[in-house]
Amino acid sequence: KDTEGNYFVYLFTVGGYYAAYITADAERTIDLSVATEFSEADHYAFYSMQQILLYAVGPKLYAYDYVRNECKLVKDFEAEITHLAMDYNSNNDNNHFVVATYDDTAKKGVVYGYNIEDNQNEINVTPAEAEVWETGLKVVKVEYRNCTY
């Protein structure tokens, strides 16, 4: 964010194992007239397969394609989103991400798995089957230990 309230995404290329080989290739401005409530977002996650930025505002999850300048409300969870992150480690899938919510009134937390389609023409996000875990906790971070490596 700059001093005038504009938001940007920077694209980088890593050319080697050392930080000296990282170059900034491009800058994209977030169109706040399209990216609904972006300036109020609490959580962000970048989808590495396409130029899509997931972000959360309160109970709402959005997906914003910053190349095609398209934004989609993925879901209103009706409970505060407390965690949002891409999740490659649990199943070796670049298209998977996790959302955690917490309802302060009901004292109920839920962790959801989601998939995002690797499609450059549209934003397609779907719930992962059988990936809903209820808890009495307010989940603020999810980590996996993948024993296959």
Side-chain angles (χ1 to χ4, degrees):
K1 178 179 172 183
D2 68 9
T3 57
E4 297 166 1
N6 299 307
Y7 291 82
F8 304 92
V9 172
Y10 293 92
L11 309 175
F12 294 90
T13 299
V14 179
Y17 292 105
Y18 304 103
Y21 296 108
I22 298 174
T23 59
D25 294 331
E27 168 191 300
R28 304 274 184 186
T29 302
I30 303 294
D31 185 343
L32 296 177
S33 69
V34 175
T36 306
E37 300 181 288
F38 186 84
S39 62
E40 301 166 36
D42 299 316
H43 304 279
Y44 307 89
F46 282 90
Y47 175 50
S48 64
M49 303 303 288
Q50 296 294 332
Q51 293 169 335
I52 293 176
L53 171 58
L54 300 165
Y55 66 97
V57 179
K60 298 176 188 171
L61 174 65
Y62 293 96
Y64 175 61
D65 183 325
Y66 51 88
V67 171
R68 292 184 305 116
N69 199 30
E70 177 184 332
C71 187
K72 179 178 184 178
L73 174 63
V74 174
K75 182 170 180 162
D76 185 338
F77 287 93
E78 298 180 4
E80 175 194 6
I81 295 174
T82 57
H83 175 73
L84 169 63
M86 297 307 297
D87 170 36
Y88 173 78
N89 292 327
S90 69
N91 58 8
N92 300 329
D93 184 356
N94 289 324
N95 304 315
H96 191 258
F97 68 96
V98 173
V99 177
T101 63
Y102 187 74
D103 183 332
D104 200 34
T105 304
K107 304 293 185 211
K108 177 182 170 187
V110 183
V111 177
Y112 302 89
Y114 271 83
N115 294 308
I116 186 165
E117 183 181 351
D118 184 8
N119 182 339
Q120 64 185 0
N121 297 314
E122 66 179 334
I123 299 171
N124 189 10
V125 177
T126 55
E129 290 186 34
E131 290 191 21
V132 177
W133 300 277
E134 295 184 3
T135 179
L137 303 172
K138 184 175 185 176
V139 177
V140 296
K141 187 170 184 175
V142 175
E143 291 287 337
Y144 288 94
R145 180 173 178 260
N146 189 335
C147 298
T148 60
Y149 296 104

